[in-house]
Amino acid sequence: MSARYKISNKNIYGFKTNMYHIFLLIPVIWILTFLIEFGLGPVLYKIYQKDVTLEEGETGTKAGSEVPIAESIEDMENFDTFTMILSGTVLKYDTVRSGENIYHRLQLPSGEKVIAHINRKALQETGEIGIYRAPVGVWREWEAPEEIMVYQKNLAVTDHYIDMYGDYVPVLEETAYTRTLGSAASAWLYVIVVILYRVIGVRRGRFAPAIFWKSDPLLPKNDMECWCASTFAIWAHSFSMLEGWPLVTGVHRNRKAVANFKKVALGEQWDIKSRQDGLQTVHELVEKHAGRLDTVYAGWDLCRATQLLGMMHMVKMINREEMDREFSAAGKVIQQQFGSWEEMAESYLGGYQAWLERTGEQNAAQYTERRKNIFRTLKADPDGPYSLPWRTDLTWIPGGKGERTEIKRILFRYRAQGI
């Protein structure tokens, strides 16, 4: 299938359609962020602080006066928990890094050398310069990492170490916590707003989905809709503002297209201001040719009737059920009038040129030739609008149900494509 006609979307990400809505929401996001940071933040901080703060006496917390001081491996094996008196020199220089952890090589008063993992935030001054009381510790069994095993000859044991860190997690100050919470909330609110903007925009038909193109609500739901959209495919590819087939509306509901359809295409050119006006016009175009084979330029009237239905649905003048019902009726008359897509197109193009000439257009022949070229290009596309069987069943079934053989084939390789 030719990439040029895979369709159909000049605004695939929706960033050209009413983006000012997102910018208008920025002050709202700021206000919500402010409320979260200064209103909800202090409440959540208390919960956060409680969750991350270790209970008094747990491994890695500040050691109270009741915690015994260990001076040997034997002491550590005998005590459930213990503390030590350490010098700042050892804490500063005798270190070993393994991954994210920093360990210390300690020499106990007994002369034994061991490895310790110390929570430096829980060290306490003793009143003597450079001497500190260590956090609560336990003598813990482990499999020493390679970085520690380098010092194996100098250590009394390598299958145990002093754990004075435990489950400690650095606790943020309240100001830092609420500021971080506010920043995260601002980022997430913006992401949520953008996602909602896209989801709502796609559901309302403003632009195509950026990824799941086949879920576009303006694509045909069945073979009948696809066939009827093909009847005005020439028109749908004739103007720069349109996106083309197989959209049943010819274009998505962006603000500019909706305004143009309502004011100019329907209002000024057809004098259609309401649902009743539109359906009356469609019925007049169809009934003029229904049951007759001797009318002039039937293709011009009938293809414009289906085109009007797509336009009316695009501006939400009629719903999908009404469009489908009228599609079915008009499509059946088109099938009665002609025996092929070529016959329909010939009648349509003849009526188009005659209409241009009646309006006094000096370049009627050139404009008509341009649309003929569009038809030839679309006709040559093996998965294009005129690849559908002429005698496709156009029975209207409420709820958008119906045969889907052809539309599945068409959409198999379909993808929305920015132009």
Side-chain angles (χ1 to χ4, degrees), residues 248-281:
V248 295
T249 51
V251 66
H252 285 91
R253 293 188 178 107
N254 63 76
R255 185 164 51 94
K256 182 178 180 180
V258 171
N260 182 278
F261 274 30
K262 277 187 175 180
K263 182 179 179 181
V264 181
L266 292 173
E268 295 178 4
Q269 295 179 2
W270 286 94
D271 196 28
I272 294 174
K273 304 293 176 56
S274 65
R275 169 185 174 278
Q276 183 176 355
D277 292 341
L279 292 180
Q280 181 178 340
T281 301

Side-chain angles (χ1 to χ4, degrees), residues 99-112:
E100 296 296 322
N101 297 325
I102 295 178
Y103 296 93
H104 296 80
R105 290 172 289 153
L106 303 182
Q107 182 167 330
L108 305 176
S110 64
E112 299 164 306

